[in-house]
Amino acid sequence: VLDRAERPAKGDALAVPDGTPLLALTTRHLADETPMQVEERLINLRAARAAAREPFAEPPPGRWLLAHVPWTEAEHAIQAARAQAPIARLLGIKAGDAALVVERRTWNGRVPVTYARLWHAGERHRLVGRFSAGG
C-alpha cells in the first residue's frame, strides 16, 4: 500500500452521492521484484465498513474484498493509455509509454462497492479471449 486516505466522495468514478465516506488506496503489485500493476481503488465505506480498519498488507484489497464483501454485478472496461509520470515511475517505465488500463466497478444490488483502475506496463501484458459457439 503506497497511499491510503479516507475522504468524502465528490464526483468520483464510483458514482456514489457526494459526501459518502470512501477509502482511497494506491497499491503496487510486484512479481519477482518487477512492478506488474499499480492499483488505484475507491471503496465505499457504507458498503464495506470493515475496510476502514483493514491494513491490506496481506491479502491485497481485491482479494480481501472478494472474501468479505458480497457483490452481485461487476463491470470491466479495458483501454490503452499513455502512462503519466507518477504511474510510469511506479511501473518502472517512462512517462508516455503504453499502458494497459482495466477499470473495474462492482455493486451489491444497487449499492456501488468499489471502483478500481488497474495500470499495467503495455509491453508486459496482453489479453486473450477464447470463445466457442453453441452450448
Side-chain angles (χ1 to χ4, degrees):
V1 176
L2 304 172
D3 191 44
R4 176 191 182 104
E6 287 187 41
R7 63 173 178 77
K10 184 162 173 73
D12 296 288
L14 189 53
V16 293
D18 285 356
T20 300
L22 300 179
L23 178 60
L25 298 166
T26 302
T27 61
R28 182 172 55 181
H29 304 268
L30 305 173
D32 295 327
E33 303 302 315
T34 300
M36 297 305 288
Q37 181 184 84
V38 173
E39 174 182 338
E40 299 173 301
R41 184 180 292 272
L42 297 173
I43 299 172
N44 177 356
L45 290 175
R46 288 189 179 149
R49 289 183 186 359
R53 296 181 306 279
E54 177 60 39
F56 296 114
E58 187 57 42
R63 194 174 318 140
W64 185 90
L65 284 159
L66 283 172
H68 292 89
V69 183
W71 59 268
T72 58
E73 187 176 353
E75 169 188 271
H76 280 160
I78 302 166
Q79 67 182 26
R82 297 200 180 279
Q84 299 297 315
I87 296 292
R89 272 192 301 279
L90 293 172
L91 285 173
I93 61 178
K94 293 184 228 157
D97 278 1
L100 176 68
V101 183
V102 177
E103 291 182 319
R104 177 185 307 140
R105 288 179 177 81
T106 62
W107 295 264
N108 184 344
R110 299 177 80 176
V111 178
V113 175
T114 188
Y115 165 82
R117 182 180 299 125
L118 311 168
W119 292 85
H120 308 85
E123 74 279 356
R124 292 185 211 137
H125 295 274
R126 71 184 191 128
L127 295 174
V128 175
R130 185 174 180 172
F131 306 90
S132 62

